[in-house]
Amino acid sequence: MKCTWDRKDFSHQLKLLNDLIDKENDIKRSLYLQKVLDTSNKLYYETFVDFPRPTVSAKQRLTSILDSSFCYGRYYSIVSTFFDRISENIDTIDDISGRLEHIDPNGDFDFLNTGAALSNSDIISLVNRFYKTFDEELYEYFLEAYKEKNNSLRFLPLDKSKDNKTDGTTLFIDGIRKNFITIYETSSIGTFECAVHEYGHAIANLINPEVSYSDREDFFAEVASIFPELVALYENDFNFNELQVLYALYTTLVTYVNNAEFLCLHIPVINAWADNKHIMSHNFFEELEENYNIDEECFEEILSTTIEDQGVYVISYIVALELFNLYKKDKKQSLELFKAFLKYPAKEDILTFVIENISINEHASEEAALVLSSFDKELRKRRY
């Protein structure tokens, strides 16, 4: 049977949740489920209703960045440290990037797509196989979502004409404990990565459902999906071409390094804006160009990169890297720490747990250097 779902399926589950609320006698539980319903209704409209997005001016975005820099200074600090540690590898990234552009100016990288393409059924079977060997306890939660895949998982073609910010999404409705997963089809390995990633979210939702509806500042929401993704590529029990695996790890690294750099440029940009009395004058742009080499295109990228959006992925990647580094040394300890992270109470500050248990940024440079050197070696072996 083909795996699929649509807005009618999602809407039907919302009706079931509403019925559940009507029958609930416990006031506290009823209020919680109402919050779930309100959040899920919002997700419904964001996912299925195509409404015009309001235009946000550069001044509004600068004001928002200024506010965020005050509210989330400790998270900016984590990103800044990461970029400082990684910066010694920037020349290598630039060198590899230049060679890839020379090999394939269109950026399609079809030369990487060797071997037979996998069907979506093949891919989801590989994901099942991965989580079965990943961890016995986590696999039970995976199966809870996997067994409902016929009406809760869908594969959609990637529309390259649209600016897709993600290769997949997971929408969760607690109360009925239902994950709705969407995976956009790319290459075989790309679709596999995405499926591992999204089922990581599904597992986290089922283990600790209240996190999705808590008021917790959760800048680590992607750890649940990025860590398994890194492990799946590292283990590579599925015989993906080594060049494909290394390219996937390389592009992931570069994406987060680029986003980290843009986030690090928030502070000098808002300082220059303050120096110019919050006016985007000629002097303002001249100062950015002269002091920070920020041109108009780069300025737009900086404004479009936020600590609350791309920053969540960068910070989660930083934590996932440390778990991954530990995994290669002590698999059991790494997985126990990962599960403790997933189970951490929704009402408590997850940053406290991370700081006390995970050495943030300690191995970032080491892991980056390993990915880059391995990818560079593989490219040279094939005379790229």
Side-chain angles (χ1 to χ4, degrees), residues 213-233:
Y213 312 100
S214 71
D215 298 323
R216 184 168 83 183
E217 268 182 20
D218 199 352
F219 282 83
F220 307 102
E222 297 296 324
V223 175
S225 49
I226 295 176
F227 174 58
E229 188 181 335
L230 292 174
V231 172
L233 291 173

Side-chain angles (χ1 to χ4, degrees), residues 340-358:
F341 169 87
L342 294 178
K343 296 173 183 177
Y344 198 70
K347 294 181 180 180
E348 296 184 26
D349 182 14
I350 188 66
L351 179 60
T352 301
F353 175 88
V354 171
I355 290 173
E356 291 178 353
N357 294 278
I358 299 173

Side-chain angles (χ1 to χ4, degrees), residues 173-321:
I173 307 175
D174 195 18
I176 54 173
R177 291 177 66 82
K178 188 86 168 182
N179 285 285
F180 285 94
I181 298 173
T182 300
I183 297 168
Y184 294 101
E185 299 162 323
T186 53
S187 63
S188 290
I189 191 170
T191 306
F192 168 75
E193 270 189 279
C194 181
V196 170
H197 183 105
E198 295 308 325
Y199 271 102
H201 282 305
I203 290 168
N205 290 336
L206 294 169
I207 287 178
N208 203 349
E210 291 189 9
V211 169
S212 298
Y213 312 100
S214 71
D215 298 323
R216 184 168 83 183
E217 268 182 20
D218 199 352
F219 282 83
F220 307 102
E222 297 296 324
V223 175
S225 49
I226 295 176
F227 174 58
E229 188 181 335
L230 292 174
V231 172
L233 291 173
Y234 169 72
E235 297 289 4
N236 191 20
D237 293 332
F238 322 106
N239 296 317
F240 285 116
N241 180 291
E242 185 68 14
L243 186 61
Q244 291 178 311
V245 172
L246 290 169
Y247 177 69
L249 291 168
Y250 165 80
T251 53
T252 298
L253 170 67
V254 171
T255 296
Y256 296 134
V257 169
N258 287 340
N259 285 335
E261 181 176 16
F262 290 135
L263 289 168
C264 288
L265 288 170
H266 279 182
I267 303 304
V269 166
I270 59 175
N271 285 342
W273 189 45
D275 291 343
N276 286 273
K277 300 179 180 180
H278 294 161
I279 298 172
M280 286 182 289
S281 62
H282 173 74
N283 288 340
F284 168 68
F285 288 106
E286 193 174 69
E287 181 179 341
L288 294 182
E289 181 81 47
E290 289 181 1
N291 296 338
Y292 306 104
N293 198 29
I294 297 174
D295 58 18
E296 186 176 334
E297 182 179 351
C298 181
F299 180 67
E300 179 58 34
E301 290 279 8
I302 292 167
L303 294 191
S304 300
T305 306
T306 68
I307 194 72
E308 300 93 337
D309 188 353
Q310 292 87 348
V312 170
Y313 284 86
V314 175
I315 293 165
S316 295
Y317 177 69
I318 291 167
V319 173
L321 268 186

Side-chain angles (χ1 to χ4, degrees), residues 133-150:
T133 59
F134 182 53
D135 182 83
E136 185 177 348
E137 181 183 355
L138 295 179
Y139 184 59
E140 292 302 313
Y141 289 101
F142 168 81
L143 283 178
E144 185 177 345
Y146 180 77
K147 287 176 180 176
E148 294 189 333
K149 64 183 182 300
N150 289 340

